[in-house]
Amino acid sequence: MTARAMPDDGGSGACPAPLTERQEERRRRILRAGAELAARGGFDGVQMREVAELSGVALGTLYRYFPSKVHLLVATMRDRLERVHESLRGRPLRGETAAERVAETLIRAFHAFRGEPRLADAVVRALTFADRSVSAEVERVSSRTAAIVLDAVGPGGPGAEGPPAVARVPGSGPGAGSGPASGSGPASGSGLGPGAGCGSAVRVIGHAWHAVLVAWVSGRASVAEVEADIVTVSRLIDT
């Protein structure tokens, strides 16, 4: 994974220096420790002192990488989405239309989070609690979700033939540096992707996917309802 800046800019939008290889490895250890604690105890099970101990870093060092538990768990959400994205790339889609492929992809992504319910609850709650200081990492989560949708759409937008390719959604975030290319490797692919109209649909679909994930972890939606909602909102990509 490409090294990225540490989130210590206080939400100012500034771009600190990229991480060295050693710093990136330390960051990965912290993310693994946070995910392990979240998978065991959910949001409340993640305590920064325990994260520091489990990852083998000093507590002060941990706070330089992630100023709060919410920062850490939002970054964990992004990390999980990156892994889901990579796994999805290795599984061919059966849908004939862009909407069918998007729905199939997002349902698969939902089931990946469903397999770790306490972790899913933790990262979703963190996104809900996130304030302006976490906006850059939240934007990276949104950009990764958009990249997953665009991979399913394909290189030419709705109705196009051929294998999917990733493209940046027009207007998906404040500057290219805060999108998938910032520390997320393959999400910055060279596919041409759809235009601004489809980009708006992709953003709405991404928001809806996160909303149904929230509804599921809070017990307000069944698996069948989540899948039905994903199918419904995915039809926007063909309009």
Side-chain angles (χ1 to χ4, degrees):
M1 176 180 292
T2 305
R4 60 178 288 276
M6 289 165 60
D8 58 359
D9 62 356
S12 66
C15 294
L19 297 182
T20 65
E21 184 176 344
R22 182 177 178 182
Q23 289 171 331
E24 179 64 18
E25 191 278 331
R26 185 181 298 131
R27 178 179 177 274
R28 300 301 306 171
R29 292 204 320 268
I30 294 169
L31 286 172
R32 284 195 299 269
E36 181 178 331
L37 291 171
R40 292 201 310 240
F43 184 85
D44 294 333
V46 179
Q47 302 299 322
M48 295 297 269
R49 187 172 297 279
E50 291 184 37
V51 173
E53 292 174 357
L54 189 58
S55 60
V57 303
L59 186 60
T61 300
L62 170 60
Y63 279 114
R64 287 200 297 273
Y65 282 80
F66 300 103
S68 72
K69 176 166 75 171
V70 169
H71 286 80
L72 172 60
L73 289 173
V74 172
T76 301
M77 174 67 159
R78 177 194 175 206
D79 181 64
R80 278 303 191 264
L81 281 172
E82 289 174 357
R83 296 186 186 197
V84 167
H85 197 180
E86 287 303 311
S87 69
L88 289 170
R89 283 192 173 119
R91 300 172 60 185
L93 297 171
R94 298 184 296 272
E96 295 183 0
T97 68
E100 290 172 348
R101 294 192 297 272
V102 168
E104 183 181 350
T105 293
L106 292 181
I107 287 172
R108 288 179 181 179
F110 162 69
H111 281 288
F113 280 89
R114 184 186 172 214
E116 297 180 285
R118 290 183 178 175
L119 176 60
D121 175 74
V123 297
V124 165
R125 287 176 64 184
L127 282 170
T128 303
F129 296 151
D131 59 18
R132 265 182 192 236
S133 70
V134 202
S135 60
E137 197 65 54
V138 170
E139 181 56 40
R140 293 182 185 109
V141 169
S142 297
S143 295
R144 175 59 63 169
T145 307
I148 290 171
V149 173
L150 285 169
D151 251 354
V153 170
E161 298 297 331
V166 177
R168 194 181 308 283
V169 181
S172 63
S178 64
S182 179
S184 43
S188 59
S190 58
L192 295 177
C198 184
S200 178
V202 169
R203 287 193 298 275
V204 172
I205 291 168
H207 294 326
W209 184 79
H210 285 281
V212 297
L213 192 58
V214 170
W216 175 74
V217 298
S218 62
R220 294 184 286 108
S222 67
V223 172
E225 288 170 331
V226 167
E227 293 180 348
D229 288 351
I230 290 173
V231 169
T232 297
V233 74
S234 295
R235 292 179 184 137
L236 285 174
I237 210 72
D238 283 340
T239 59

